[in-house]
């Protein structure tokens, strides 16, 4: 059986690209055949599935029976992921804590006032 390759013509067509340019929108389309284009997204989706939706997930209050259950678990996980999880590359502090410390260290430059 001859299989036709899947094409993303709707995203890479000239007309689509022209429309993006006309509207001042930058396309987030990677290069053709680059296996690493979606690596970050796939990694995050994998973490989400194993951490937020697994049966023993601390983000679940019970079985997922409705879209509301999934949305609530997702909100809880995203809040934890962005604000409370400890990250080894950040010195085992949360991303929110690291960001706060980073901006606290930044000293706004103030112009030197001279007397006339």
């Amino acid at each position: 059986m001859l299989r036709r390759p899947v094409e993303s013509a709707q995203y890479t067509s000239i007309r689509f690209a022209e429309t993006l340019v006309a509207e001042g929108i930058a396309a987030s389309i990677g290069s053709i055949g680059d296996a690493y284009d979606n690596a970050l997204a796939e990694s995050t989706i994998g973490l989400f599935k194993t951490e937020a939706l697994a049966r023993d997930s601390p983000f679940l209050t019970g079985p997922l029976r409705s879209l509301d259950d999934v949305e609530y678990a997702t909100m809880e996980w995203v809040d934890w992921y962005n604000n409370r999880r400890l990250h080894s590359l950040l010195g085992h502090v949360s991303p929110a804590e690291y960001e706060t410390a980073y901006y606290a260290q930044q000293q706004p430059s103030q112009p030197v006032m001279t007397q006339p």
Side-chain angles (χ1 to χ4, degrees), residues 83-106:
N83 297 300
R84 297 188 305 278
R85 77 181 160 100
L86 302 182
H87 197 294
S88 61
L89 292 177
L90 303 179
H92 296 285
V93 299
S94 71
E97 185 179 351
Y98 186 87
E99 182 180 34
T100 299
Y102 174 82
Y103 285 114
Q105 291 177 7
Q106 302 301 310

Side-chain angles (χ1 to χ4, degrees), residues 30-98:
S31 56
I32 296 172
D34 187 349
Y36 300 105
D37 279 351
N38 292 322
L40 179 59
E42 292 296 333
S43 177
T44 304
I45 290 168
L47 286 172
F48 171 72
K49 288 178 179 178
T50 58
E51 294 174 350
L53 301 180
R55 291 179 192 254
D56 59 346
S57 171
F59 304 102
L60 298 179
T61 57
L64 298 172
R65 298 178 193 264
S66 68
L67 182 57
D68 285 345
D69 294 339
V70 175
E71 287 177 347
Y72 184 76
T74 300
M75 288 186 301
E76 290 291 319
W77 181 79
V78 168
D79 178 65
W80 168 81
Y81 188 88
N82 289 330
N83 297 300
R84 297 188 305 278
R85 77 181 160 100
L86 302 182
H87 197 294
S88 61
L89 292 177
L90 303 179
H92 296 285
V93 299
S94 71
E97 185 179 351
Y98 186 87

